[in-house]
Amino acid sequence: MTLQKNKRYAVVDEAHCVACGSCIKVCPKGAVTVPNGITAKVDIDSCVGCGLCAKVCPASVIHIEMLKRREENGNE
């Protein structure tokens, strides 16, 4: 099985997140949660990197990054 080599995913600046929940409402995959109402967390395995959460974040603390994964056989 080959893993996706380049995957986009959302990253939250947890120190500045206001836990408003806007990101949860727009995430099509349910990848964003706000456990204990403290700060947003992203499940990178569920996140598809669409960027909707970053667009609606009133604090502008969510951005999209690229995760580089290796194929199972070890090739880059």
Side-chain angles (χ1 to χ4, degrees):
M1 178 166 108
T2 301
L3 295 174
Q4 195 174 351
K5 285 188 91 170
N6 294 313
K7 177 183 174 24
R8 291 170 40 98
Y9 68 103
V11 176
V12 179
D13 176 356
E14 295 179 8
H16 296 100
C17 177
V18 296
C20 68
S22 295
C23 50
I24 295 170
K25 294 174 187 172
V26 298
C27 181
K29 297 296 183 178
V32 186
T33 59
V34 180
N36 301 319
I38 297 171
T39 186
K41 303 271 186 190
V42 177
D43 175 8
I44 64 170
D45 290 325
S46 300
C47 181
V48 294
C50 66
L52 291 175
C53 57
K55 288 178 184 173
V56 301
C57 179
S60 299
V61 298
I62 303 175
H63 65 276
I64 304 299
E65 288 188 2
M66 186 72 73
L67 174 68
K68 295 184 179 188
R69 295 183 175 182
R70 291 185 170 173
E71 294 179 16
E72 191 172 299
N73 62 11
N75 293 337
E76 294 282 329

PDB file of all heavy atoms in Angstrom, residues 40-65:
ATOM      1  N   ALA A  40      -8.994  24.758  19.335  1.00  0.00           N
ATOM      2  CA  ALA A  40      -9.305  23.846  18.233  1.00  0.00           C
ATOM      3  C   ALA A  40      -8.157  22.872  18.010  1.00  0.00           C
ATOM      4  O   ALA A  40      -6.986  23.233  18.135  1.00  0.00           O
ATOM      5  CB  ALA A  40      -9.577  24.635  16.964  1.00  0.00           C
ATOM      6  N   LYS A  41      -8.512  21.645  17.681  1.00  0.00           N
ATOM      7  CA  LYS A  41      -7.545  20.596  17.351  1.00  0.00           C
ATOM      8  C   LYS A  41      -7.953  20.006  16.008  1.00  0.00           C
ATOM      9  O   LYS A  41      -9.137  19.862  15.722  1.00  0.00           O
ATOM     10  CB  LYS A  41      -7.566  19.471  18.390  1.00  0.00           C
ATOM     11  CG  LYS A  41      -7.306  19.921  19.809  1.00  0.00           C
ATOM     12  CD  LYS A  41      -5.863  19.907  20.108  1.00  0.00           C
ATOM     13  CE  LYS A  41      -5.656  20.229  21.595  1.00  0.00           C
ATOM     14  NZ  LYS A  41      -4.314  20.471  21.941  1.00  0.00           N
ATOM     15  N   VAL A  42      -6.969  19.645  15.181  1.00  0.00           N
ATOM     16  CA  VAL A  42      -7.238  19.082  13.864  1.00  0.00           C
ATOM     17  C   VAL A  42      -6.714  17.658  13.808  1.00  0.00           C
ATOM     18  O   VAL A  42      -5.561  17.394  14.144  1.00  0.00           O
ATOM     19  CB  VAL A  42      -6.566  19.918  12.753  1.00  0.00           C
ATOM     20  CG1 VAL A  42      -6.790  19.290  11.393  1.00  0.00           C
ATOM     21  CG2 VAL A  42      -7.088  21.346  12.777  1.00  0.00           C
ATOM     22  N   ASP A  43      -7.567  16.728  13.379  1.00  0.00           N
ATOM     23  CA  ASP A  43      -7.153  15.350  13.132  1.00  0.00           C
ATOM     24  C   ASP A  43      -6.594  15.314  11.714  1.00  0.00           C
ATOM     25  O   ASP A  43      -7.350  15.359  10.747  1.00  0.00           O
ATOM     26  CB  ASP A  43      -8.349  14.410  13.272  1.00  0.00           C
ATOM     27  CG  ASP A  43      -8.021  12.970  12.911  1.00  0.00           C
ATOM     28  OD1 ASP A  43      -6.837  12.645  12.694  1.00  0.00           O
ATOM     29  OD2 ASP A  43      -8.961  12.163  12.841  1.00  0.00           O
ATOM     30  N   ILE A  44      -5.255  15.258  11.582  1.00  0.00           N
ATOM     31  CA  ILE A  44      -4.654  15.371  10.253  1.00  0.00           C
ATOM     32  C   ILE A  44      -4.968  14.175   9.360  1.00  0.00           C
ATOM     33  O   ILE A  44      -4.894  14.282   8.145  1.00  0.00           O
ATOM     34  CB  ILE A  44      -3.138  15.634  10.298  1.00  0.00           C
ATOM     35  CG1 ILE A  44      -2.370  14.479  10.916  1.00  0.00           C
ATOM     36  CG2 ILE A  44      -2.844  16.931  10.994  1.00  0.00           C
ATOM     37  CD1 ILE A  44      -0.865  14.611  10.763  1.00  0.00           C
ATOM     38  N   ASP A  45      -5.352  13.052   9.942  1.00  0.00           N
ATOM     39  CA  ASP A  45      -5.731  11.906   9.118  1.00  0.00           C
ATOM     40  C   ASP A  45      -7.089  12.129   8.453  1.00  0.00           C
ATOM     41  O   ASP A  45      -7.346  11.624   7.372  1.00  0.00           O
ATOM     42  CB  ASP A  45      -5.749  10.625   9.943  1.00  0.00           C
ATOM     43  CG  ASP A  45      -4.350  10.195  10.354  1.00  0.00           C
ATOM     44  OD1 ASP A  45      -3.402  10.403   9.561  1.00  0.00           O
ATOM     45  OD2 ASP A  45      -4.199   9.661  11.465  1.00  0.00           O
ATOM     46  N   SER A  46      -7.957  12.887   9.098  1.00  0.00           N
ATOM     47  CA  SER A  46      -9.284  13.185   8.535  1.00  0.00           C
ATOM     48  C   SER A  46      -9.295  14.448   7.690  1.00  0.00           C
ATOM     49  O   SER A  46     -10.101  14.585   6.781  1.00  0.00           O
ATOM     50  CB  SER A  46     -10.309  13.351   9.663  1.00  0.00           C
ATOM     51  OG  SER A  46     -10.409  12.181  10.421  1.00  0.00           O
ATOM     52  N   CYS A  47      -8.414  15.374   7.994  1.00  0.00           N
ATOM     53  CA  CYS A  47      -8.374  16.667   7.303  1.00  0.00           C
ATOM     54  C   CYS A  47      -7.978  16.488   5.833  1.00  0.00           C
ATOM     55  O   CYS A  47      -7.038  15.765   5.527  1.00  0.00           O
ATOM     56  CB  CYS A  47      -7.373  17.582   8.008  1.00  0.00           C
ATOM     57  SG  CYS A  47      -7.232  19.224   7.270  1.00  0.00           S
ATOM     58  N   VAL A  48      -8.700  17.181   4.948  1.00  0.00           N
ATOM     59  CA  VAL A  48      -8.398  17.123   3.514  1.00  0.00           C
ATOM     60  C   VAL A  48      -7.713  18.395   3.026  1.00  0.00           C
ATOM     61  O   VAL A  48      -7.434  18.537   1.841  1.00  0.00           O
ATOM     62  CB  VAL A  48      -9.663  16.831   2.672  1.00  0.00           C
ATOM     63  CG1 VAL A  48     -10.201  15.443   2.966  1.00  0.00           C
ATOM     64  CG2 VAL A  48     -10.731  17.890   2.887  1.00  0.00           C
ATOM     65  N   GLY A  49      -7.464  19.331   3.927  1.00  0.00           N
ATOM     66  CA  GLY A  49      -6.735  20.543   3.567  1.00  0.00           C
ATOM     67  C   GLY A  49      -7.488  21.491   2.667  1.00  0.00           C
ATOM     68  O   GLY A  49      -6.886  22.241   1.903  1.00  0.00           O
ATOM     69  N   CYS A  50      -8.802  21.510   2.783  1.00  0.00           N
ATOM     70  CA  CYS A  50      -9.611  22.366   1.896  1.00  0.00           C
ATOM     71  C   CYS A  50      -9.457  23.851   2.216  1.00  0.00           C
ATOM     72  O   CYS A  50      -9.702  24.693   1.366  1.00  0.00           O
ATOM     73  CB  CYS A  50     -11.073  21.956   1.959  1.00  0.00           C
ATOM     74  SG  CYS A  50     -11.872  22.244   3.557  1.00  0.00           S
ATOM     75  N   GLY A  51      -9.107  24.180   3.460  1.00  0.00           N
ATOM     76  CA  GLY A  51      -8.885  25.567   3.836  1.00  0.00           C
ATOM     77  C   GLY A  51     -10.116  26.324   4.289  1.00  0.00           C
ATOM     78  O   GLY A  51     -10.030  27.512   4.610  1.00  0.00           O
ATOM     79  N   LEU A  52     -11.271  25.669   4.329  1.00  0.00           N
ATOM     80  CA  LEU A  52     -12.487  26.366   4.761  1.00  0.00           C
ATOM     81  C   LEU A  52     -12.366  26.872   6.190  1.00  0.00           C
ATOM     82  O   LEU A  52     -12.791  27.973   6.501  1.00  0.00           O
ATOM     83  CB  LEU A  52     -13.708  25.453   4.629  1.00  0.00           C
ATOM     84  CG  LEU A  52     -14.134  25.112   3.207  1.00  0.00           C
ATOM     85  CD1 LEU A  52     -15.272  24.096   3.228  1.00  0.00           C
ATOM     86  CD2 LEU A  52     -14.555  26.363   2.472  1.00  0.00           C
ATOM     87  N   CYS A  53     -11.763  26.071   7.055  1.00  0.00           N
ATOM     88  CA  CYS A  53     -11.613  26.481   8.455  1.00  0.00           C
ATOM     89  C   CYS A  53     -10.749  27.733   8.561  1.00  0.00           C
ATOM     90  O   CYS A  53     -11.047  28.635   9.344  1.00  0.00           O
ATOM     91  CB  CYS A  53     -11.032  25.345   9.291  1.00  0.00           C
ATOM     92  SG  CYS A  53      -9.445  24.712   8.693  1.00  0.00           S
ATOM     93  N   ALA A  54      -9.692  27.795   7.776  1.00  0.00           N
ATOM     94  CA  ALA A  54      -8.808  28.960   7.804  1.00  0.00           C
ATOM     95  C   ALA A  54      -9.538  30.207   7.322  1.00  0.00           C
ATOM     96  O   ALA A  54      -9.324  31.299   7.847  1.00  0.00           O
ATOM     97  CB  ALA A  54      -7.574  28.705   6.947  1.00  0.00           C
ATOM     98  N   LYS A  55     -10.412  30.048   6.345  1.00  0.00           N
ATOM     99  CA  LYS A  55     -11.144  31.197   5.800  1.00  0.00           C
ATOM    100  C   LYS A  55     -12.135  31.784   6.797  1.00  0.00           C
ATOM    101  O   LYS A  55     -12.355  32.988   6.805  1.00  0.00           O
ATOM    102  CB  LYS A  55     -11.879  30.796   4.529  1.00  0.00           C
ATOM    103  CG  LYS A  55     -10.957  30.578   3.362  1.00  0.00           C
ATOM    104  CD  LYS A  55     -11.714  30.145   2.127  1.00  0.00           C
ATOM    105  CE  LYS A  55     -10.729  29.837   1.005  1.00  0.00           C
ATOM    106  NZ  LYS A  55     -11.404  29.253  -0.152  1.00  0.00           N
ATOM    107  N   VAL A  56     -12.743  30.934   7.629  1.00  0.00           N
ATOM    108  CA  VAL A  56     -13.772  31.434   8.544  1.00  0.00           C
ATOM    109  C   VAL A  56     -13.240  31.785   9.928  1.00  0.00           C
ATOM    110  O   VAL A  56     -13.970  32.361  10.735  1.00  0.00           O
ATOM    111  CB  VAL A  56     -14.951  30.443   8.696  1.00  0.00           C
ATOM    112  CG1 VAL A  56     -15.602  30.174   7.365  1.00  0.00           C
ATOM    113  CG2 VAL A  56     -14.518  29.175   9.389  1.00  0.00           C
ATOM    114  N   CYS A  57     -12.001  31.477  10.207  1.00  0.00           N
ATOM    115  CA  CYS A  57     -11.442  31.726  11.539  1.00  0.00           C
ATOM    116  C   CYS A  57     -11.365  33.225  11.815  1.00  0.00           C
ATOM    117  O   CYS A  57     -10.608  33.946  11.160  1.00  0.00           O
ATOM    118  CB  CYS A  57     -10.055  31.104  11.662  1.00  0.00           C
ATOM    119  SG  CYS A  57      -9.292  31.387  13.270  1.00  0.00           S
ATOM    120  N   PRO A  58     -12.128  33.726  12.798  1.00  0.00           N
ATOM    121  CA  PRO A  58     -12.122  35.164  13.074  1.00  0.00           C
ATOM    122  C   PRO A  58     -10.804  35.651  13.682  1.00  0.00           C
ATOM    123  O   PRO A  58     -10.473  36.828  13.582  1.00  0.00           O
ATOM    124  CB  PRO A  58     -13.276  35.352  14.060  1.00  0.00           C
ATOM    125  CG  PRO A  58     -13.417  34.029  14.723  1.00  0.00           C
ATOM    126  CD  PRO A  58     -13.050  33.012  13.677  1.00  0.00           C
ATOM    127  N   ALA A  59     -10.050  34.737  14.272  1.00  0.00           N
ATOM    128  CA  ALA A  59      -8.767  35.110  14.877  1.00  0.00           C
ATOM    129  C   ALA A  59      -7.596  34.909  13.915  1.00  0.00           C
ATOM    130  O   ALA A  59      -6.459  35.226  14.248  1.00  0.00           O
ATOM    131  CB  ALA A  59      -8.536  34.302  16.153  1.00  0.00           C
ATOM    132  N   SER A  60      -7.876  34.360  12.739  1.00  0.00           N
ATOM    133  CA  SER A  60      -6.843  34.090  11.721  1.00  0.00           C
ATOM    134  C   SER A  60      -5.680  33.267  12.274  1.00  0.00           C
ATOM    135  O   SER A  60      -4.520  33.566  12.032  1.00  0.00           O
ATOM    136  CB  SER A  60      -6.317  35.400  11.130  1.00  0.00           C
ATOM    137  OG  SER A  60      -7.355  36.111  10.517  1.00  0.00           O
ATOM    138  N   VAL A  61      -6.020  32.216  13.015  1.00  0.00           N
ATOM    139  CA  VAL A  61      -4.982  31.379  13.629  1.00  0.00           C
ATOM    140  C   VAL A  61      -4.901  29.979  13.022  1.00  0.00           C
ATOM    141  O   VAL A  61      -4.220  29.109  13.550  1.00  0.00           O
ATOM    142  CB  VAL A  61      -5.163  31.278  15.160  1.00  0.00           C
ATOM    143  CG1 VAL A  61      -5.038  32.646  15.800  1.00  0.00           C
ATOM    144  CG2 VAL A  61      -6.475  30.616  15.524  1.00  0.00           C
ATOM    145  N   ILE A  62      -5.582  29.767  11.898  1.00  0.00           N
ATOM    146  CA  ILE A  62      -5.519  28.478  11.207  1.00  0.00           C
ATOM    147  C   ILE A  62      -4.880  28.694   9.851  1.00  0.00           C
ATOM    148  O   ILE A  62      -5.224  29.630   9.134  1.00  0.00           O
ATOM    149  CB  ILE A  62      -6.918  27.854  11.021  1.00  0.00           C
ATOM    150  CG1 ILE A  62      -7.615  27.696  12.377  1.00  0.00           C
ATOM    151  CG2 ILE A  62      -6.812  26.508  10.314  1.00  0.00           C
ATOM    152  CD1 ILE A  62      -9.042  27.195  12.282  1.00  0.00           C
ATOM    153  N   HIS A  63      -3.927  27.841   9.512  1.00  0.00           N
ATOM    154  CA  HIS A  63      -3.317  27.899   8.188  1.00  0.00           C
ATOM    155  C   HIS A  63      -3.135  26.479   7.661  1.00  0.00           C
ATOM    156  O   HIS A  63      -3.233  25.510   8.404  1.00  0.00           O
ATOM    157  CB  HIS A  63      -1.994  28.672   8.214  1.00  0.00           C
ATOM    158  CG  HIS A  63      -0.923  28.016   9.026  1.00  0.00           C
ATOM    159  ND1 HIS A  63      -0.823  28.185  10.383  1.00  0.00           N
ATOM    160  CD2 HIS A  63       0.080  27.191   8.674  1.00  0.00           C
ATOM    161  CE1 HIS A  63       0.202  27.476  10.835  1.00  0.00           C
ATOM    162  NE2 HIS A  63       0.768  26.866   9.816  1.00  0.00           N
ATOM    163  N   ILE A  64      -2.891  26.369   6.372  1.00  0.00           N
ATOM    164  CA  ILE A  64      -2.746  25.076   5.715  1.00  0.00           C
ATOM    165  C   ILE A  64      -1.265  24.803   5.473  1.00  0.00           C
ATOM    166  O   ILE A  64      -0.535  25.673   5.000  1.00  0.00           O
ATOM    167  CB  ILE A  64      -3.518  25.041   4.376  1.00  0.00           C
ATOM    168  CG1 ILE A  64      -4.995  25.393   4.598  1.00  0.00           C
ATOM    169  CG2 ILE A  64      -3.365  23.692   3.699  1.00  0.00           C
ATOM    170  CD1 ILE A  64      -5.752  24.452   5.512  1.00  0.00           C
ATOM    171  N   GLU A  65      -0.849  23.592   5.810  1.00  0.00           N
ATOM    172  CA  GLU A  65       0.530  23.151   5.577  1.00  0.00           C
ATOM    173  C   GLU A  65       0.534  21.901   4.719  1.00  0.00           C
ATOM    174  O   GLU A  65      -0.498  21.260   4.525  1.00  0.00           O
ATOM    175  CB  GLU A  65       1.239  22.851   6.902  1.00  0.00           C
ATOM    176  CG  GLU A  65       1.565  24.080   7.704  1.00  0.00           C
ATOM    177  CD  GLU A  65       2.436  23.785   8.900  1.00  0.00           C
ATOM    178  OE1 GLU A  65       2.836  22.609   9.107  1.00  0.00           O
ATOM    179  OE2 GLU A  65       2.704  24.731   9.652  1.00  0.00           O
TER     180      GLU A  65
END
